Amino acid sequence: MSEATHKEKRFDDYSQDANVERHVRRFRWISMDFGGKPFLRFNWVSSLLASLILWGFVAAVLIDDKENSTPKLPTDFWGWTNWITVNFTWLYILTQDVWFIFVIWLLFTKYANIKLGKDDEKPEFSDFAWFSMLFSCGIGVGLYYWGVAEPIHYYRLSGNMQKMPVTNDDQKAQQAIFQTLFHWGLHGWIPYIVIALTLGVVCHRQGLPMTMRNAFHPLIGDHTKGFAGDVIDALSISCTTFGVCTSLGLGCAQINAVLARMDGSVAVNKKTQTGIIWIITSIAIISVLLGLKRGIKTLSLITFTLGLILMLLMLVCDNTWYLLNSFVEAVGVYMTWVIQVGFNCGTWTQLNREFGSAAGEPGFDYDGKSKLWGKASLSDKLFDATNITTSASLAQAKYKSPPEMMNEWTIFYWGWWISWAPFVGMFIAKISKGRTVGQVIKGAFIAPVLFSFLWLTIFGSLGIKMQRASEMALDVAVHTYDWSIDCATHYTDNAPSSEKAMALADKGYYLLSCRGTNDRILDVMEPYGKLTPFMHLLTLVGITLYFVTSSDSGSFVDDIISAQGHENPPWIQRVYWAVTEGATAQALLSATDSGLSTIRAVSIVAGLPYTIAICYCCTSLYRALKREMRDEDIMSQRHGFVVSSLDILELYSPEDMPAQSPSSGERFKSNVIALFFPYKGLKTAACAAYGDDVSGTISAVVATCTWFTWFLCLCLSGIGEGTASIAWMLYVFFFAQVAIIRYHVRAARSIRDNFLHDLFASCALYPMVISQMELEAPYIEQRKQV
């Protein structure tokens, strides 16, 4: 094959059905025409899986709300969220930091010059249009909703919740701004960039269809075309929809508040918000039908420009020097503290959960037991010994521990950003064709973070200024033990009630900590006289358009993923995914009072598996970049084993299986034996890899004995409280020994991989890994003989 032909085939036109179908397994593709025009083009397996998850979730919420006066599902969802927070805070925190270090490292390497596309390819969009689209897609309505509300919460409503030392009110104000920037800064955008770069290199550079499954192609090869790829795409569609629905819920509440402020006859209730959701969904459908260049691009340009006008208007209408001082200071504080806070897991505040929950204390336990201690919780043990009841709140008071931030803020944010990562990352990759890796890091990572900082600092600082001005005017005392104020004197139900507070409100000033979350951004615009209605109008249009761009971008990406990378799927599919998003948001909003809290909880839960997936994306991206640069270490090694540990997902008969490979029957038999008697496979693999029958046999015997002891302790775990703990400790020893043998098998066969992957594969798929090594062993012997 000539080089010209090779390049031509690598960069296929995936708006053509035939090119897409080359990457789809048999019996998975549905292609239907109506009236001589394309009507359906999609992978039915991934689409069905995603639809079952989403519509099943909606149905479960609605049924639960109908059958129970106090719905159980929201409680269950928050129980799962608490369990994740307690057990996996370290994972969320560590992975965000590792991804950040990895991407910044890429910026200063030779890989930064690799282009997402052909070497001579030019960017499809201007810099301003490109930045507008990625920013509008990546941020959504969050800047409006939280721009004032979040700093005010940290300033006056968070008690002693803190990430940095606070000894006076000025430091409390600075911490409020810093904490907001931390949640909207580098750690937030990093999941987007990892996925965007991975898809950009693999799809634009190596010619694969633009769909999430292909982000893992450098790792698992053509298994992305099979069931593994279907699961990845289904999970991506689900995460995208759940993440977007979180913003849809926040956005409709904010729009409702703006409409009520501008027109007092507009009611603030679920009925109004339901109507808003479907109006916005309808506009999003029109936008997504117009396509990327006409619809989404135009909306993004208008949305970003209106937001820019509003931000600059606020900057020049108030004390510009004060706001610029605050911005410069906030960036400096962020740079000073981001590393320390970035690794903060809230260890000692989370430890308070171990002491149980007092009556009325919110959601620290599940069935009254600690999530870390199992059946017999620490609080139970302490009570049995001393007859003294312990609780998290008592521990907090005793040790002067600040309130816990992880569950309600940091982990929620990380889970929310991660759940958005599939669609935002894919969208950024889609519009970044022709740009280099370095340009994407600087323009789609660093630049939007700086712009977000400017917005959040301006609105956050104006909010704190109004709070202080109102406190001074109303002579409100600040309680220095927790930096709170008493709202009851001047406010009732979030509205001014005293004569002084109402007079102050007439001048445009409010105690923002006593106001509703949706009102705060509107309140900071009140002091500007005749400009206030114009600012409110800009806010309404801006929120609405951000709302639309999030919805249409999500529907656009869902549609492409379900069509397995088809660049021009039929319009009916776009409408389906847009309606699915609207229905999910509407059902959760109308079903229970906890609807939005529930979907936030689901975002955190959905973000957990994708956290692991993004870690693999980093490895996949690194391999793809090294391959593009033809680095010697990767080009001189084999891609993988003779058989894959994922072949079980295709019943041991993948379409690209080499003719000389073991039969599916042999594979099945080997896996079953490895599951119940790992000695056979381990001995074969270890003896071949070590080149010494004695060492190999000893390794296999030790590992097998560990496995049998683990299995025995697990079966007897009900006898003693510590038996299960011992069992899982033994399992760690067992899969570590399997990973060591796998490492030596890879070394003997020059198979590229890393020991961390050996560990993870051995932990999750030990029967398949042992079978894989056993079937690789004969080739090691052949190589030695040669």
Side-chain angles (χ1 to χ4, degrees), residues 618-758:
C618 290
T619 304
S620 184
L621 172 61
Y622 186 52
R623 286 190 182 182
L625 291 172
K626 289 176 74 66
R627 189 171 185 82
E628 286 300 320
M629 296 300 293
R630 304 190 69 80
D631 288 353
E632 183 179 354
D633 59 340
I634 200 166
M635 298 305 293
S636 61
Q637 293 180 322
R638 295 178 62 242
H639 178 70
F641 289 80
V642 173
V643 296
S644 171
S645 57
L646 297 178
D647 285 346
I648 188 174
L649 298 177
E650 300 183 59
L651 302 179
Y652 306 109
S653 299
E655 291 183 359
D656 56 347
M657 197 73 173
Q660 69 273 20
S661 299
S663 67
S664 57
E666 292 176 298
R667 296 289 313 280
F668 177 73
K669 179 181 177 181
S670 176
N671 272 258
V672 171
I673 294 174
L675 176 62
F676 296 105
F677 187 65
Y679 172 77
K680 178 178 177 293
L682 288 174
K683 179 186 176 183
T684 303
C687 289
Y690 296 153
D692 180 0
D693 288 350
V694 175
S695 299
T697 302
I698 292 173
S699 296
V701 168
V702 172
T704 304
C705 289
T706 306
W707 181 89
F708 273 115
T709 310
W710 161 70
F711 186 74
L712 181 63
C713 289
L714 201 60
C715 293
L716 300 176
S717 58
I719 295 177
E721 185 178 333
T723 309
S725 300
I726 294 173
W728 290 113
M729 179 189 70
L730 291 169
Y731 185 72
V732 171
F733 289 155
F734 166 69
F735 76 70
Q737 293 171 77
V738 175
I740 291 171
I741 296 174
R742 190 176 192 265
Y743 171 81
H744 286 287
V745 170
R746 286 195 302 101
R749 287 281 283 156
S750 297
I751 298 172
R752 63 172 178 267
D753 212 330
N754 59 73
F755 186 65
L756 284 177
H757 185 219
D758 293 333

Side-chain angles (χ1 to χ4, degrees), residues 7 10 13 36 78 164 194 251 259 304 362 371 392 510 564 606 609 627 653 659 710:
K7 286 188 176 182
R10 282 180 61 189
D13 177 9
W78 277 107
M164 48 190 278
V194 171
L259 289 173
F304 181 76
K371 297 174 183 60
Y510 298 86
Q564 203 157 326
R627 189 171 185 82
S653 299
W710 161 70

Side-chain angles (χ1 to χ4, degrees), residues 415-449:
W416 191 9
W417 286 98
I418 291 168
S419 68
W420 270 50
F423 102 87
V424 178
M426 183 171 164
F427 185 80
I428 293 174
K430 184 75 176 175
I431 65 176
S432 298
K433 190 174 184 179
R435 299 180 186 273
T436 66
V437 169
Q439 288 172 338
V440 172
I441 294 173
K442 288 182 282 190
F445 180 39
I446 298 174
V449 168

